[in-house]
């Protein structure tokens, strides 16, 4: 199975070892339960907002299909004072791309 992890610092694991990133931990737990899962393909950077993640996805152009996609983004939208409506629209667009 192929896994794409999208997000910000909570996904990339700010100030932690690569083995402590939550997508890596999730992969390890799923493997323990018998799932055959590739290492996660991570598109995430500390500080990203939804629009920055969207731009990074467009530039990276991850080749699907993926069997599992996680999307964890938004705290920086709030931190930078972006509106909730803008966040909802951009998150929804990211969710649709993920699907």
């Amino acid at each position: 199975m192929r896994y794409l992890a999208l997000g910000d610092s909570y996904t990339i694991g700010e100030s932690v070892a690569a083995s402590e990133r939550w997508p890596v931990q999730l992969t390890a737990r799923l493997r323990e339960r018998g799932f055959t899962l590739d290492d996660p393909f991570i598109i995430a950077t500390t500080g990203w907002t939804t629009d920055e993640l969207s731009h990074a996805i467009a530039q990276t152009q991850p080749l699907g299909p993926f069997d599992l996609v996680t999307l964890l983004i938004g705290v920086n939208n709030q931190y930078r004072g972006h509106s909730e409506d803008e966040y909802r629209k951009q998150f929804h667009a990211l969710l649709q791309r993920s699907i």
Side-chain angles (χ1 to χ4, degrees):
M1 293 176 50
R2 298 182 66 221
Y3 171 26
L4 175 63
L6 304 171
D8 55 21
S9 60
Y10 293 117
T11 299
I12 198 61
E14 179 69 16
S15 300
V16 301
S19 63
E20 297 300 312
R21 294 173 176 164
W22 90 263
V24 175
Q25 291 184 43
L26 175 61
T27 299
R29 297 309 172 276
L30 289 171
R31 287 174 178 162
E32 288 171 4
R33 286 165 178 75
F35 290 89
T36 303
L37 194 63
D38 292 344
D39 290 340
F41 185 81
I42 301 173
I43 302 176
T45 295
T46 297
W48 272 354
T49 57
T50 48
D51 59 326
E52 291 165 328
L53 174 59
S54 182
H55 180 72
I57 293 168
Q59 289 209 298
T60 305
Q61 297 182 351
L63 297 176
F66 291 93
D67 302 290
L68 173 64
V69 179
T70 54
L71 177 60
L72 181 59
I73 191 85
V75 68
N76 296 299
N77 290 67
Q78 181 183 18
Y79 179 75
R80 293 189 200 173
H82 295 214
S83 75
E84 289 181 33
D85 286 336
E86 177 186 66
Y87 171 73
R88 277 190 201 97
K89 288 176 187 172
Q90 291 176 354
F91 186 85
H92 184 264
L94 284 166
L95 187 58
Q96 291 303 309
R97 284 173 85 181
S98 299
I99 293 168

